[in-house]
Amino acid sequence: MSLFSIFLIHLLALASPGPDFVFISQTAVNHTRKQTLVAIAGVCSAIAIWELLAISGLSFIIDRVPIVYQLLLLLGGGYLFWLGILSVKSSFKTYQLIITPNHQQNHFFLKGLMTNLANPKALAYFGSIFSVAVAHSSHQTIILMFVIVLIESLIWFYLVARLFSTEKIAKWYQKHLRAINFICGLAFIGFGLSLLVQLLKTIL
């Protein structure tokens, strides 16, 4: 698989709305630019972890040790479901958009990290397509793939953050804040349940 193919495939994977997109867009409109960049760093750090796992043979391990895959499904599904419940609960509160203090930056990094690690798309993508792409590639090509995917992810989420941090988007978001939190919460719950359903299918 060529470098250009990986670039296009990863771009399509990023463009498809998922937990990462929801998390970064919500962070951008609710918090400071610095905190949003920290959140993006968390998401992209998780992507780097997935890449390293794929290079190390993630698909090989999953195929031969099914419990590893089941554990990933359980942890990922539970985390996304929990995020969804928190978001739905917040939709019933009446509050103004508040910029949180900078001392919570570590929280944003960890939340971004965990959101991506729990992302079913990331598991499917890096456990299959990316693993196949690096399987018969030279060391130089693998390094280039790693860098391309990481930089592409950083640029994409930065652009998402810039879009949702504009004044017009922020005002619109503030106006529809409760409805958006509810919808985002349902999305997170849906992502979480889809993983738990997959878990049940592997057990039954």
Side-chain angles (χ1 to χ4, degrees):
M1 191 175 291
S2 68
L3 293 174
F4 185 66
S5 296
I6 281 292
F7 172 83
L8 288 179
I9 291 170
H10 190 62
L11 181 61
L12 291 174
L14 288 170
S16 176
D20 297 334
F21 180 89
V22 174
F23 171 64
I24 294 300
S25 60
Q26 278 193 314
T27 303
V29 295
N30 279 292
H31 305 285
T32 65
R33 178 176 296 183
K34 191 172 184 179
Q35 288 167 330
T36 304
L37 291 176
V38 171
I40 292 172
V43 170
C44 291
S45 294
I47 289 173
I49 291 172
W50 282 118
E51 289 189 272
L52 291 173
L53 287 172
I55 291 169
S56 302
L58 174 63
S59 59
F60 179 85
I61 295 171
I62 287 175
D63 286 341
R64 283 152 184 79
V65 189
I67 195 172
V68 173
Y69 180 65
Q70 292 172 349
L71 185 60
L72 288 171
L73 289 175
L74 177 62
L75 294 176
Y79 179 73
L80 291 174
F81 187 83
W82 175 71
L83 281 184
I85 293 297
L86 291 181
S87 189
V88 169
K89 285 176 65 177
S90 71
S91 71
F92 293 100
K93 298 177 182 178
T94 301
Y95 54 87
Q96 294 295 311
L97 207 57
I98 298 173
I99 301 299
T100 55
N102 289 331
H103 68 265
Q104 294 185 1
Q105 284 172 21
N106 289 339
H107 165 75
F108 287 98
F109 180 85
L110 289 174
K111 198 169 182 180
L113 183 76
M114 291 304 299
T115 297
N116 183 269
L117 289 178
N119 188 344
K121 288 198 309 177
L123 175 61
Y125 172 70
F126 289 104
S128 57
I129 297 173
F130 193 82
S131 294
V132 170
V134 302
H136 303 291
S137 300
S138 65
H139 293 301
Q140 293 85 351
T141 302
I142 290 173
I143 291 171
L144 283 173
M145 284 183 180
F146 182 93
V147 172
I148 286 171
V149 167
L150 195 57
I151 292 177
E152 192 176 359
S153 302
L154 282 166
I155 293 173
W156 172 262
F157 288 118
Y158 177 75
L159 291 175
V160 170
R162 289 287 292 177
L163 172 65
F164 280 86
S165 63
T166 58
E167 186 177 352
K168 286 184 178 180
I169 295 293
K171 285 182 178 179
W172 179 88
Y173 187 92
Q174 174 67 69
K175 184 178 179 181
H176 303 281
L177 184 58
R178 295 175 66 182
I180 291 173
N181 280 344
F182 185 79
I183 293 170
C184 288
L186 291 181
F188 275 125
I189 290 172
F191 291 130
L193 287 176
S194 69
L195 284 186
L196 297 176
V197 168
Q198 288 181 47
L199 174 61
L200 287 176
K201 288 180 179 179
T202 64
I203 295 174
L204 299 177

